[in-house]
Structure formats: structure tokens, C-alpha cells
Amino acid sequence: MAGHLSFLLILTGLTEIHSLTRVTQVSVKLGGSISIPCLYGSNYKNHVKYLCEGYNWRSCSYAVKTNQPQRYTDKYSISDDPNRRIFTVTIKHLTAKDTNYWCAVEINGGPDDGHYFQLSVTTGTPHLDVTNQKITGFIGEKIAIKFDNSINGVIEWCKMGRSCVTPPGSIDGTKVTIDKSVGNVFTVTMSGLTSESSGWYLCVNEGFQMPVHVTVNEKSTMYPTAGTTTRISHTTDPVNSTLGFVENILIVLSLSVFMVLVASVIWCVLRMRKETNAPSATTADEENITYSSIDHMKKPSNQRQCAGSDVDVIYSTVITKK
């Protein structure tokens, strides 16, 4: 085994830079969680990375591995970013025993390499702490990262795999300043963000580091309307979109049903009124027909010819008025 010799220095040969930009000691709060970035050489992109727990490199035990991320409890997690050559380990539910760890890479056909880092678990306020280890900004804008600090020392701002600056300064064209005007709190501001500004950074003060991951996105499209500004997002929520579509369909159907019901009621009312005002067919027919009388005339007895023709019937016509 390589003992305490950092595999970062062996793999890359950038001793001066990497000695400044690797995690060696972090102050954390009991019961909290911490994410630690581990840098490795480009020739180990496809190798297995892991976190090893224990003070002695030869006797430390696996905590979590990239090829078996689901095998372990929810206390540990690990992820690998081959493009940036950094794998990240997260340790949760910190206890007083969670102090000694190694970032390690498996070497096929040879001894593994690793570098040691220590967690200083405290029940009070950590010596160097940040509220959120993950910060998001937009290209061309700035971000401000606030730290709690109980150490009087020179503060440095470093990017993993690059150099450090003592603010004011710049890294990858991004301006870095620091404001220490408020007691035990200081703020690091990165201005003029670019896509190259994304990545892991370390805030360093007197031997303690606090890792912070910065993500820089493109700014959303802005359209001014009537003195206001509307931000058009480039992402949509499929669940909300589906619910909105269903709601619109229900509204249209409800309006359609309502209009049909109203039309039906109006039609029924008009029909009833028409039937009430119209004269009955029988009355109309009777009014348009004229009946004439029918007379029965008897002939004198001397004029009877036979018993069956005693009565002569005279029919008059029935005239229908148009």
C-alpha cells in the first residue's frame, strides 16, 4: 500500500496544485452530513473508486464502491464524474466515530492508491461551515456563498484540479472577492460566471477545508411585456401539463353540456306556448263546415204507390268553408 502518500500526486504529477486542492480536514456537526470530492488521474476513468473507513490504510474497510452503490446502507453514497475526473462520497448521520477515511482507486494488477482525510465531528458550530454545499448560478451573473467561521486565518478559494487564490483574484476568468465585515461570517462572491465556472471548490482556512459544488446554467430567455419581465422556462413539468390539459377538457365539456341543457329548455318552453295558443283541429274543422237540414216529407195517402215508399227523403248538400 502507498500509506499516506496521496494517489493524486502520483497519478497526475501536479504536486503543487493538488496539494492545495484536495480535502484533508473538514469540520462537521454531529448528526449532519458531508459530501467530499475526490480527484483522480485521467488514466483511471474506468477504474472502480471507493471510500475506505479507518485510520490505517492497510486495515481500512470498504464503506461504499462505485460498482456496488446499492449494496450499502443509506449512510454512504458515491457518484463518479469521469469528465471532470472527480468522484464524490457522501456520509450521512455523522457520529463521533466517523473521523478517518480514504478516497481510493482500485488498481488492476497492483496495489490500490488512496489519500487520507479526516472529519472533525463537533456538537457545536463547526470551525468552518457552509449552509448549502450545492450552489447554482447563471452565466454572466454572480453568486454569493456565506460561511460561518471561528478561525482567524488567511482564507483561500480553490478549485479542484486548479490553483488557489487569496481574494480578490480570479479563477478561469471568474472574479473572486471576499467580504469579512460581519463578525464570524464571511461571504465569497464569484462574479462574471461562465460555463467553465462549474465544478467543485474548496474554501480553505488554517488547515480546514469546506467543499462547495457550483453549477452554472444558461440564463432563461427573458421577454419584456408592458413594463414587466416574463421569464420563459426551458423546462416543463409533464405532470402539471397533463393535469392542465385534463382540466381544459373538463371545462369545455361542462360548457357544452350546459349550452345543450339551456337550448333544450328554451325549445320545450317555445313548444308548450305554441301548443297552448293554437286552436284544436276539431274546433277548426267544425267552424269551417256548414251543415244543411235534412227534411222528411210524407206523400198523401192517395199518392202512395207501395208500403215501402211512404216517406220521401230530401238531402241537402254539405259545404265546407275554405
Side-chain angles (χ1 to χ4, degrees), residues 110-153:
D112 296 348
D113 283 321
H115 79 259
Y116 172 81
F117 68 89
Q118 183 181 35
L119 299 182
S120 298
V121 183
T122 176
T123 56
T125 302
H127 299 302
L128 181 61
D129 192 25
V130 67
T131 303
N132 193 348
Q133 282 190 273
K134 295 182 179 181
I135 307 296
T136 301
F138 296 98
I139 292 178
E141 297 186 351
K142 63 181 180 180
I143 56 174
I145 309 168
K146 186 179 294 186
F147 293 87
D148 293 318
N149 178 47
S150 60
I151 307 171
N152 293 323

Side-chain angles (χ1 to χ4, degrees), residues 204-231:
V204 183
N205 189 2
E206 294 297 318
F208 286 93
Q209 303 91 34
M210 177 51 66
V212 175
H213 187 269
V214 174
T215 301
V216 180
N217 298 321
E218 290 187 3
K219 194 175 182 181
S220 300
T221 305
M222 308 293 285
Y223 293 102
T225 56
T228 62
T229 302
T230 302
R231 172 167 290 177

Side-chain angles (χ1 to χ4, degrees), residues 48-236:
V48 174
K49 291 86 181 179
Y50 62 94
L51 178 68
C52 203
E53 182 180 7
Y55 179 76
N56 193 302
W57 168 241
R58 293 180 180 274
S59 61
C60 68
S61 58
Y62 291 124
V64 65
K65 302 175 68 173
T66 54
N67 64 341
Q68 297 175 335
Q70 305 301 326
R71 178 180 176 183
Y72 306 91
T73 65
D74 63 350
K75 183 176 179 65
Y76 299 103
S77 61
I78 188 169
S79 61
D80 188 15
D81 185 354
N83 294 328
R84 297 185 182 275
R85 297 181 291 111
I86 294 176
F87 71 93
T88 304
V89 294
T90 300
I91 308 171
K92 303 176 183 178
H93 315 301
L94 292 166
T95 68
K97 296 181 180 180
D98 297 322
T99 55
N100 303 299
Y101 291 94
W102 297 78
C103 288
V105 173
E106 285 188 354
I107 306 299
N108 300 327
D112 296 348
D113 283 321
H115 79 259
Y116 172 81
F117 68 89
Q118 183 181 35
L119 299 182
S120 298
V121 183
T122 176
T123 56
T125 302
H127 299 302
L128 181 61
D129 192 25
V130 67
T131 303
N132 193 348
Q133 282 190 273
K134 295 182 179 181
I135 307 296
T136 301
F138 296 98
I139 292 178
E141 297 186 351
K142 63 181 180 180
I143 56 174
I145 309 168
K146 186 179 294 186
F147 293 87
D148 293 318
N149 178 47
S150 60
I151 307 171
N152 293 323
V154 177
I155 298 172
E156 294 179 290
W157 186 249
C158 310
K159 187 173 184 180
M160 292 285 290
R162 304 293 179 88
S163 59
C164 298
V165 296
T166 302
S170 64
I171 297 178
D172 292 335
T174 300
K175 184 179 179 181
V176 181
T177 59
I178 186 170
D179 180 8
K180 298 188 290 184
S181 61
V182 182
N184 293 331
V185 176
F186 66 87
T187 302
V188 174
T189 301
M190 298 176 63
S191 306
L193 296 172
T194 66
S195 58
E196 296 297 321
S197 302
S198 294
W200 277 102
Y201 292 82
L202 298 180
C203 182
V204 183
N205 189 2
E206 294 297 318
F208 286 93
Q209 303 91 34
M210 177 51 66
V212 175
H213 187 269
V214 174
T215 301
V216 180
N217 298 321
E218 290 187 3
K219 194 175 182 181
S220 300
T221 305
M222 308 293 285
Y223 293 102
T225 56
T228 62
T229 302
T230 302
R231 172 167 290 177
I232 307 300
S233 175
H234 295 286
T235 59
T236 57

